Amino acid sequence: MSVDVETTGRRRSMAALLGGVAATNTSMVGASTASTLIGAEELTELWSGVPNAAGVLGTAAGTLWLAALMARRGTRSALSLGYLVAIVGAAVAGAAVASGQVLLLIFGMVLLGVGNGGAQLSRYCAADLYPPRRQGLAVGVIVWAGTVGAVFGPNLMDPSADVASRLGLPDLAGPFLVALLAAGICVLASAAMPRSRTAARRGANDPTPAQVWRHPVVSVALVSMIAGQLAMVALMTMTPLHMSSNHHGLTAVGVVLSGHMIGMFALAPLSGYLSDRFGGRAAILMGIGLLVTSVVVASWPAAHSSGLTRLVVSLFLLGWGWNLTFVGGSALLTQALTPAARRAVQGRVDALVWAASAVASVVAGVVLATTNYVVLSVAAGVVSLIPVPLLRRRPPAEESASAPEHADAVR
């Protein structure tokens, strides 16, 4: 009987986590693209990445705040509060677009990012539901939920623009109407999770945060995830602007972003399986190989002018490469650390990853404005190679799972 109750609770939790991640990713695709285009109009191309960077910084802040809240009050309460903040953010951003207030848009993107921070932490919540040998797959399944965003997010830009126009709003307010609806769905999904025990206080024998940060696997996972995020964000955020300057319309931008988002999320269960089967390091190395291949395709002369097909292929490979580094790095943390150790670092790791990518959003805009898309692509490829020396220095038994065989339920 207790097994049936545990299984039912696990399924409800997974369904809620999947729903929240799917809806959030759907909204963030359109919001990020719209904010970059608005930034180019209002702040010039040089600073076009600032509004999107604000959303990324909000994600970093959200992971820190919500991870701490999860430890005190449990997953359901933390996620619900984060998604409520996202509702406010979507409303503020939409109002900012309607009124032409770019500073208000930046603030709204920060609040939207807080909700996205909760969605990012959901993969760790899913891993805690399963034993170590299945945690990589659990992480991959949650990341896979972003496939919904890959399919619907970019392709909702045109329809949402039509809706906004009918309501007397600017076309680019449409993605924020989608974000408002999506955040509401996320609140309902998180409220449907089983009521859970809050995480216990740190015991006398539990590692301190400083001790956990000295674990070799943390530095490997952190550097790999940051490098993959930097490379992905730099190209993803600037590709719509590059296409716009080459006279591609929103439909073409949507096609390229759809290919990218499918690469980012659709193969995540495979990435999780590879992490479980061969280890997180192997998955990260595969991801770096794909990121470099993506850069080669993107920096080809045809891609610099009008090569739509090349951009689709490049952005798909970019997405899958990021997926392997992200899932592989997350799997390293979940498989090599106990739940208590993970709680000490997971919010901080995600915050550093997203803070770094916020910098990438701004710097990428400067690079594109002062050089060209090829230079930006090559720079992204160089950054993606940074973790290779760390990955080659593997301490003995670094990846042995020290987590208990049966992880606790979602906290």
Side-chain angles (χ1 to χ4, degrees):
M1 183 69 170
S2 60
V3 175
D4 291 339
V5 171
E6 180 182 353
T7 300
T8 300
R10 177 185 292 172
R11 289 174 178 171
R12 283 180 58 191
S13 295
M14 285 295 290
L17 293 170
L18 284 165
V21 171
T24 299
N25 282 343
T26 298
S27 66
M28 291 304 293
V29 171
S32 297
T33 302
S35 69
T36 299
L37 295 175
I38 294 168
E41 293 177 359
E42 300 294 333
L43 301 173
T44 75
E45 184 176 293
L46 184 66
W47 301 108
S48 59
V50 170
N52 186 61
V56 179
L57 285 175
T59 299
T63 56
L64 274 177
W65 175 48
L66 296 174
L69 195 60
M70 284 178 184
R72 295 196 306 271
R73 299 183 58 185
T75 299
R76 186 173 75 166
S77 296
L79 290 181
S80 296
L81 187 55
Y83 291 140
L84 283 171
V85 172
I87 289 178
V88 177
V92 168
V97 176
S99 61
Q101 299 293 321
V102 69
L103 290 180
L104 193 60
L105 170 64
I106 291 172
F107 178 61
M109 288 297 295
V110 170
L111 298 182
L112 271 174
V114 171
N116 189 41
Q120 297 304 317
L121 291 173
S122 294
R123 69 191 192 280
Y124 295 118
C125 301
D128 285 344
L129 291 166
Y130 293 91
R133 64 181 180 274
R134 297 178 61 191
Q135 287 178 339
L137 181 58
V139 169
V141 168
I142 292 299
V143 176
W144 171 86
T147 306
V148 177
V151 173
F152 292 104
N155 293 299
L156 285 176
M157 291 190 67
D158 271 345
S160 66
D162 291 340
V163 172
S165 180
R166 291 174 185 174
L167 294 175
L169 300 171
D171 288 355
L172 288 177
F176 298 104
L177 297 178
V178 173
L180 185 64
L181 176 61
I185 292 172
C186 291
V187 171
L188 294 176
S190 56
M193 295 181 70
R195 186 177 297 277
S196 57
R197 295 178 288 105
T198 58
R201 295 179 181 274
R202 188 173 70 85
N205 297 324
D206 287 340
T208 64
Q211 290 172 329
V212 178
W213 279 108
R214 288 196 294 269
H215 195 297
V217 81
V218 175
S219 60
V220 173
L222 177 62
V223 172
S224 299
M225 292 166 71
I226 285 178
Q229 191 85 359
L230 287 172
M232 185 272 291
V233 169
L235 286 184
M236 181 191 72
T237 56
M238 291 299 110
T239 294
L241 196 56
H242 165 69
M243 294 180 68
S244 178
S245 66
N246 282 282
H247 311 294
H248 291 291
L250 284 178
T251 299
V253 171
V255 170
V256 171
L257 289 180
S258 288
H260 174 64
M261 300 299 289
I262 289 171
M264 285 183 69
F265 301 113
L267 299 176
L270 175 59
S271 300
Y273 168 78
L274 293 172
S275 298
D276 287 337
R277 179 68 177 82
F278 301 106
R281 286 174 173 272
I284 291 169
L285 284 170
M286 293 179 213
I288 291 173
L290 288 177
L291 288 172
V292 172
T293 303
S294 166
V295 165
V296 171
V297 176
S299 58
W300 206 265
H304 179 55
S305 54
S306 60
L308 180 60
T309 301
R310 288 183 182 273
L311 286 176
V312 172
V313 173
S314 173
L315 269 288
F316 170 79
L317 294 176
L318 180 75
W320 191 13
W322 169 85
N323 180 277
L324 282 161
T325 60
F326 190 71
V327 173
S330 300
L332 280 178
L333 292 178
T334 57
Q335 293 167 345
L337 302 177
T338 64
R342 289 201 300 274
R343 285 194 295 271
V345 299
Q346 65 188 21
R348 293 179 177 90
V349 166
D350 275 19
L352 289 171
V353 170
W354 287 96
S357 61
V359 174
S361 296
V362 177
V363 173
V366 174
V367 172
L368 183 63
T370 56
T371 58
N372 56 52
Y373 190 72
V374 173
V375 172
L376 177 64
S377 300
V378 173
V382 172
V383 168
S384 70
L385 292 170
I386 291 174
V388 172
L390 283 176
L391 290 163
R392 293 181 62 186
R393 295 197 303 267
R394 177 176 179 173
E398 179 184 288
E399 291 188 45
S400 60
S402 60
E405 180 66 15
H406 297 288
D408 293 335
V410 167
R411 291 177 293 278

